[in-house]
Amino acid sequence: GQNIDQPTEMTATEGAIVQINCTYQTSGFNGLFWYQQHAGEAPTFLSYNVLDGLEEKGRFSSFLSRSKGYSYLLLKELQMKDSASYLCAVRDLWNNYGQNFVFGPGTRLSVLP
Amino acid sequence: DTGVSQDPRHKITKRGQNVTFRCDPISEHNRLYWYRQTLGQGPEFLTYFQNEAQLEKSRLLSDRFSAERPKGSFSTLEIQRTEQGDSAMYLCASTIADIHYRPDEQFFGPGTRLTVL
């Protein structure tokens, strides 16, 4: 089966660091993505991992361990505008094209002053 | 505006009616995806096109749902005999698959919010 788990909600303080975890079980694996989604808006791309290790992109970093089926998104120097849902998505590979994406339920992050 | 556009933005219909949504991807993007999202959940993959070919369709997708991309540009998603459980946000996303680009980043449209009464 296909399953992606993320914490439902997290709260952090402005200026702090927060780590959002994601664990996945899919029939295949062809990349893991993180998206940010503000309430009432469409998701926007944050990061992509296909090999194990850390990808850094400004205040955002994402880590992947394929053997553990685990990823995290690290947000540094939190700002109020970072309050949003963070979606973990795995590109599955259950047929030759490997372009079907399985999204997690999202983690709603609240940044407090 | 050169982003992904969707029409209509909102649709209210009665149970049993048919509805059709349109998505216009970013012009040079050859891959187009449809998703459904309900409140508090992540997007659920429905189907995927590369150019005009529908290459993947969710195993969970009812046969009341059909999608087309006749000329490899815009796409339509039709839901026949709508049910209350079809109420959701329908999102379209596009990307480009080319050796000179990272074929990874999906650009999402604003979505069509469907309410079935």
Side-chain angles (χ1 to χ4, degrees):
Chain A
Q2 300 174 320
N3 190 50
I4 297 183
D5 284 322
Q6 305 178 232
T8 304
E9 292 187 26
M10 297 184 72
T11 303
T13 305
E14 193 175 14
I17 299 173
V18 70
Q19 178 174 312
I20 302 174
N21 295 326
C22 170
T23 58
Y24 63 89
Q25 290 177 310
T26 55
S27 53
F29 180 84
N30 193 22
L32 186 141
F33 300 75
W34 284 95
Y35 284 83
Q36 180 190 59
Q37 187 174 28
H38 285 99
E41 298 183 9
T44 54
F45 172 80
L46 289 179
S47 70
Y48 166 71
N49 297 72
V50 68
L51 299 176
D52 291 350
L54 190 68
E55 291 281 341
E56 296 188 80
K57 200 174 178 182
R59 294 189 300 115
F60 297 83
S61 304
S62 58
F63 172 83
L64 174 67
S65 169
R66 289 171 295 170
S67 62
K68 295 181 180 178
Y70 168 70
S71 173
Y72 68 72
L73 179 70
L74 194 70
L75 292 78
K76 304 175 187 175
E77 303 168 12
L78 280 173
Q79 302 175 8
M80 299 296 288
K81 67 178 182 179
D82 297 330
S83 293
S85 283
Y86 291 86
L87 302 164
C88 173
V90 172
R91 184 163 53 192
D92 204 346
L93 195 66
W94 49 261
N95 70 23
N96 289 335
Y97 300 105
Q99 288 297 328
N100 52 299
F101 289 79
V102 182
F103 278 80
T107 297
R108 189 163 62 245
L109 174 66
S110 299
V111 180
L112 305 178
Chain B
D1 188 344
T2 57
V4 179
S5 62
Q6 293 187 243
D7 183 70
R9 295 291 303 276
H10 303 273
K11 178 70 177 179
I12 300 174
T13 191
K14 292 183 179 178
R15 188 176 53 188
Q17 298 295 305
N18 299 343
V19 293
T20 300
F21 310 141
R22 177 181 169 122
C23 170
D24 286 89
I26 294 172
S27 59
E28 65 269 25
H29 284 189
N30 53 0
R31 288 184 175 169
L32 186 148
Y33 306 78
W34 284 99
Y35 295 89
R36 174 172 59 192
Q37 187 175 26
T38 53
L39 197 63
Q41 298 298 314
E44 175 192 358
F45 172 83
L46 296 179
T47 190
Y48 148 69
F49 290 85
Q50 178 145 330
N51 300 313
E52 66 276 6
Q54 186 175 22
L55 297 184
E56 295 193 18
K57 190 173 177 181
S58 170
R59 300 165 182 162
L60 303 176
L61 200 60
S62 161
D63 57 9
R64 296 184 297 106
F65 287 71
S66 61
E68 294 182 341
R69 194 182 183 199
K71 297 181 181 178
S73 55
F74 74 92
S75 175
T76 57
L77 177 70
E78 181 183 17
I79 309 174
Q80 296 182 326
R81 306 181 302 281
T82 52
E83 301 172 357
Q84 288 184 321
D86 297 331
S87 295
M89 176 73 84
Y90 289 83
L91 294 167
C92 173
S94 71
T95 190
I96 185 166
D98 184 286
I99 58 172
H100 299 295
Y101 293 87
R102 286 168 59 86
D104 309 315
E105 179 179 353
Q106 294 188 20
F107 293 83
F108 282 84
T112 295
R113 182 167 296 283
L114 172 67
T115 302
V116 181
L117 301 176

